[in-house]
Amino acid sequence: MTYIDYLNRFNRWSESNDLPVFAVVLYYRLLDKFNRDLWPSSERVDTLRLMLMAGCQKDAAYRARDKLAEAGFIRFEKGRKGKATVYYLCSPEDGGPSEVPDKDKILSFKTSEFTTETSFLSFKTTESPTESPTETPTETATLRERNKTKTKTKNPCREQPPQAAASLPPEEPVVEFPLKDGTGYAVSPEQCQTWAGLYPAVDVIQQLRNMKGWLEANPTRRKSRTGVPRFVNAWLTREQNEAGGADQRSAGTRERSAQGEKRSYNLADLESLSSFHLPEEL
């Protein structure tokens, strides 16, 4: 299927089915990502990028993703620690929804004269044995072979071999710190997201870049692999405290300025502050 085929199928399906707004936005963004990457078999998307693509918070982004998976437009495999979730696009051949909504609701009723079954505007009446067509043994054997083939065929959209997920390229780190042993420490987007939640007043990505610049400029003070988390937390804690103190000082200055503007003086105050008293009569 092409990009336009995916869009047309999704738009026509949405005319008769309900999806949250975030799920619609997320599907369009996923299609765009697959298109820009020249349609790979799968894409890795971490939680932070998923939130940006859906334009909502983490819980709402997860619900939008689940709605798309329930509708059959995507399939995903949750990533383990340090690895992003893998996403697959589903087509009708892979078990995804078709353009026409599935309304296979059969209503059955019996009367004293005949039995009628209806399935989505199609009616089937009972026929007499003389009117039913007869099948030859060759046709019967062919139908049985086709049924066996369909039974053995697996849905590639729902069952993905583990080798395919293992062969995916690793996720690109946000920044890499030089270590004292000459190797590097890669910071994943999941770690960056965790620190952003712990230190909301700090621009975590910019501070990570500052840390990298400081370590490159001070090779004798580089850290070991086990000492990097403590180094990062100490740095971000200091930045968080400085940002909080600056906000408090700014708030105090504004409060004092507001109080000074409201202060008024009367004649008695002016006389007490001056070095001489004004005469009572001029």
Side-chain angles (χ1 to χ4, degrees):
M1 293 179 64
T2 63
Y3 193 6
I4 300 299
D5 293 334
Y6 279 107
L7 287 175
N8 289 337
R9 179 175 65 102
F10 182 76
N11 292 333
R12 293 172 183 171
W13 184 89
S14 300
E15 292 177 357
S16 304
N17 296 269
D18 184 29
L19 272 180
V21 177
F22 293 141
V24 175
V25 174
L26 178 59
Y27 185 71
Y28 287 151
R29 295 287 176 82
L30 284 173
L31 279 183
D32 179 67
K33 183 171 179 58
F34 272 86
N35 183 55
R36 285 187 285 108
D37 295 343
L38 301 180
W39 298 100
S41 60
S42 60
E43 286 280 4
R44 284 190 178 272
V45 179
D46 56 76
T47 302
L48 184 60
R49 290 191 179 94
L50 184 70
M51 293 165 57
L52 294 175
M53 294 171 71
C56 57
Q57 297 298 324
K58 181 173 67 173
D59 294 340
Y62 285 165
R63 289 194 295 269
R65 178 187 66 180
D66 295 340
K67 287 291 184 181
L68 290 175
E70 291 175 3
F73 287 105
I74 65 170
R75 188 180 67 84
F76 62 90
E77 297 175 356
K78 293 184 179 180
R80 299 178 180 178
K81 185 176 181 181
K83 291 186 178 180
T85 303
V86 184
Y87 290 85
Y88 305 89
L89 290 178
C90 294
S91 61
E93 293 79 8
D94 299 330
S98 60
E99 297 177 1
V100 180
D102 184 12
K103 297 183 179 179
D104 190 15
K105 298 179 180 179
I106 300 176
L107 302 176
S108 301
F109 58 93
K110 292 184 179 182
T111 64
S112 58
E113 297 180 356
F114 61 91
T115 300
T116 306
E117 292 183 0
T118 176
S119 173
F120 193 42
L121 303 181
S122 62
F123 299 89
K124 179 180 179 181
T125 58
T126 57
E127 299 176 353
S128 60
T130 57
E131 296 177 353
S132 60
T134 57
E135 295 181 355
T136 62
T138 305
E139 294 176 349
T140 303
T142 304
L143 290 175
R144 290 178 180 176
E145 291 296 329
R146 290 179 180 177
N147 292 333
K148 290 181 180 180
T149 305
K150 291 181 180 180
T151 304
K152 294 179 180 180
T153 303
K154 295 183 178 180
N155 190 343
C157 182
R158 297 182 180 178
E159 298 184 7
Q160 190 73 12
Q163 294 85 351
S167 61
L168 292 173
E171 188 178 15
E172 183 178 356
V174 177
V175 70
E176 187 172 357
F177 295 146
L179 301 178
K180 62 170 59 177
D181 60 359
T183 60
Y185 183 94
V187 178
S188 65
E190 284 77 9
Q191 290 176 299
C192 182
Q193 182 181 358
T194 301
W195 289 327
L198 294 174
Y199 308 99
V202 181
D203 186 351
V204 175
I205 295 180
Q206 182 58 46
Q207 291 302 324
L208 291 174
R209 295 169 181 166
N210 295 345
M211 296 177 205
K212 179 180 179 180
W214 187 87
L215 291 172
E216 290 178 348
N218 298 273
T220 58
R221 303 186 65 180
R222 293 177 181 175
K223 311 302 177 184
S224 62
R225 186 171 299 276
T226 57
V228 168
R230 183 174 59 181
F231 167 70
V232 172
N233 284 306
W235 185 298
L236 295 179
T237 300
R238 183 178 67 251
E239 294 295 328
Q240 175 74 19
N241 294 336
E242 290 180 358
D247 293 340
Q248 293 178 358
R249 290 193 296 272
S250 177
T253 303
R254 290 194 298 269
E255 183 178 357
R256 289 193 298 271
S257 300
Q259 292 176 355
E261 292 175 357
K262 295 179 181 178
R263 186 175 180 180
S264 61
Y265 298 90
N266 53 26
L267 184 60
D269 294 334
L270 294 175
E271 291 179 352
S272 64
L273 292 175
S274 62
S275 59
F276 62 93
H277 294 282
L278 295 175
E280 297 180 358
E281 294 181 358
L282 295 177

